[in-house]
Amino acid sequence: MTYKAVHFTLALPSGSPAELLSMCYDLLSAEAGAIGFDSFEESGAGLTGYIPSELFDPDAIDRLPAMLPVEGLSLSWTSDDVADQDWNEEWERVGYEPIVIGHTLAIHDCQHPLPADASVAHEMIIDARQAFGTGTHETTRMICERLFGLALEGKRVLDCGCGTGILSIASIQAGAQSVVAYDIDDWSVRNTRHNIELNGVSGIEVLAGDRSVLSHVSGLFDVILANINRNVLLEDMPSFADVLQGGGTVLLSGFYDLDAPLLTTRAQELGWTLAGKRTDGDWCMLEFKG
């Protein structure tokens, strides 16, 4: 797969508070994710995003400032081709330090085993290969923590946009009977299958595609998980409702707290009721009952 690197630079109106710029870059990455960008890194001049070449659309990029709630904000950008190679290989080589979520779950990669004195109920190995979901992000941690607080024994779980498979694996560790996971990105599908093997878990079916794969899946789900950006969630929530068991649970994250009212309104339109809300910094997780 070939990629484009797009280098974004934002400029605020004169007199704007400095902290607003950081929030705008966070919002920009969320909106860019909705048009196909799948990874970002901070650069000296702003933000660099990576998008598969076939999804690169200059007109869609030019429309991004209109999606940000800051009047007078301007965006400039340039792009270049990324060599057809694993452009994330340096991050994968270095890896990440173990992440401990309470006394319940510890997540680490192959390069960084858990300390001998670590005291947790569950351990998970996540070898991230160009996929989102190592447990380092606030949204992933919030959902993982909540999964171990749900009564998942014997439940069927749907993991939408599975990334590395971290939420699918955590669901099985928390007692779920089975999981169906899907992701539109082929890297993520392969990475999820790889991590399932690393952790020696069973009961997870991994599918390639977007929400349309649900038309080929029989039966309903007791729990639906979706750690995706706001725009994709708003589009996909009606499809989630079609496969949610009556009284089932939906955990949504991948968005900012300021987007929570918009998602709650859509959920209420689908007949869901808000059962809980968690925040970590600017990020939010919403729990609904169907």
Side-chain angles (χ1 to χ4, degrees):
M1 179 184 294
T2 61
Y3 274 77
K4 289 274 193 181
V6 178
H7 311 286
F8 298 101
T9 302
L10 292 173
L12 291 169
S14 177
S16 299
E19 59 270 18
L20 182 60
L21 187 61
S22 177
M23 185 189 77
C24 286
Y25 274 114
D26 285 342
L27 293 172
L28 174 65
S29 64
E31 297 297 343
I35 62 173
F37 284 83
D38 58 21
S39 185
F40 301 90
E41 62 181 2
E42 295 181 0
S43 60
L47 183 74
T48 297
Y50 297 90
I51 185 170
S53 298
E54 65 269 22
L55 298 180
F56 177 70
D57 182 349
D59 291 336
I61 294 173
D62 286 337
R63 290 192 293 269
L64 286 173
M67 307 297 291
L68 306 180
V70 178
E71 187 174 352
L73 182 73
S74 64
L75 168 69
S76 59
W77 61 274
T78 60
S79 67
D80 50 60
D81 294 324
V82 179
D84 188 10
Q85 61 184 4
D86 184 353
W87 48 265
N88 209 30
E89 63 185 357
E90 178 63 16
W91 186 90
E92 294 167 9
R93 183 185 66 80
V94 174
Y96 56 94
E97 293 297 323
I99 301 112
V100 179
I101 302 175
H103 295 290
T104 305
L105 176 65
I107 304 162
H108 64 92
D109 62 12
C110 296
Q111 298 97 307
H112 300 85
L114 285 183
D117 59 352
S119 178
V120 290
H122 301 278
E123 176 182 351
M124 187 189 303
I125 304 172
I126 291 295
D127 184 13
R129 296 178 176 179
Q130 295 191 356
F132 176 83
T134 59
T136 60
H137 198 275
E138 294 90 336
T139 60
T140 309
R141 294 199 304 267
M142 284 190 289
I143 294 181
C144 280
E145 185 176 13
R146 181 62 185 130
L147 282 172
F148 287 92
L150 295 174
L152 289 186
E153 290 75 13
K155 303 293 187 181
R156 189 180 191 218
V157 176
L158 177 66
D159 182 6
C160 311
C162 54
T164 61
I166 184 171
L167 300 182
S168 295
I169 296 167
S171 296
I172 293 295
Q173 291 180 331
Q177 181 176 6
S178 65
V179 177
V180 173
Y182 70 85
D183 201 293
I184 195 171
D185 181 39
D186 186 56
W187 275 105
S188 296
V189 171
R190 295 203 300 270
N191 196 198
T192 293
R193 291 171 177 160
H194 170 70
N195 287 321
I196 290 169
E197 292 181 5
L198 275 181
N199 288 276
V201 296
S202 59
I204 304 174
E205 179 183 7
V206 188
L207 305 174
D210 59 14
R211 65 181 184 274
S212 64
V213 304
L214 298 177
S215 63
H216 306 293
V217 176
S218 61
L220 301 176
F221 294 90
D222 303 292
V223 178
I224 296 178
L225 315 173
N227 189 16
I228 318 174
N229 73 68
R230 180 201 68 189
N231 290 348
V232 175
L233 285 173
L234 290 171
E235 291 180 4
D236 290 2
M237 286 166 68
S239 297
F240 301 163
D242 290 340
V243 296
L244 180 65
Q245 184 73 256
T249 298
V250 181
L251 298 182
L252 303 180
S253 197
F255 52 88
Y256 293 97
D257 189 28
L258 59 85
D259 293 319
L262 188 63
L263 289 155
T264 300
T265 297
R266 176 60 60 90
Q268 291 170 342
E269 293 170 353
L270 297 169
W272 301 349
T273 58
L274 182 63
K277 175 184 176 181
R278 297 188 182 195
T279 58
D280 189 338
D282 294 330
W283 297 96
C284 181
M285 183 195 77
L286 296 174
E287 178 176 343
F288 297 100
K289 288 293 184 182

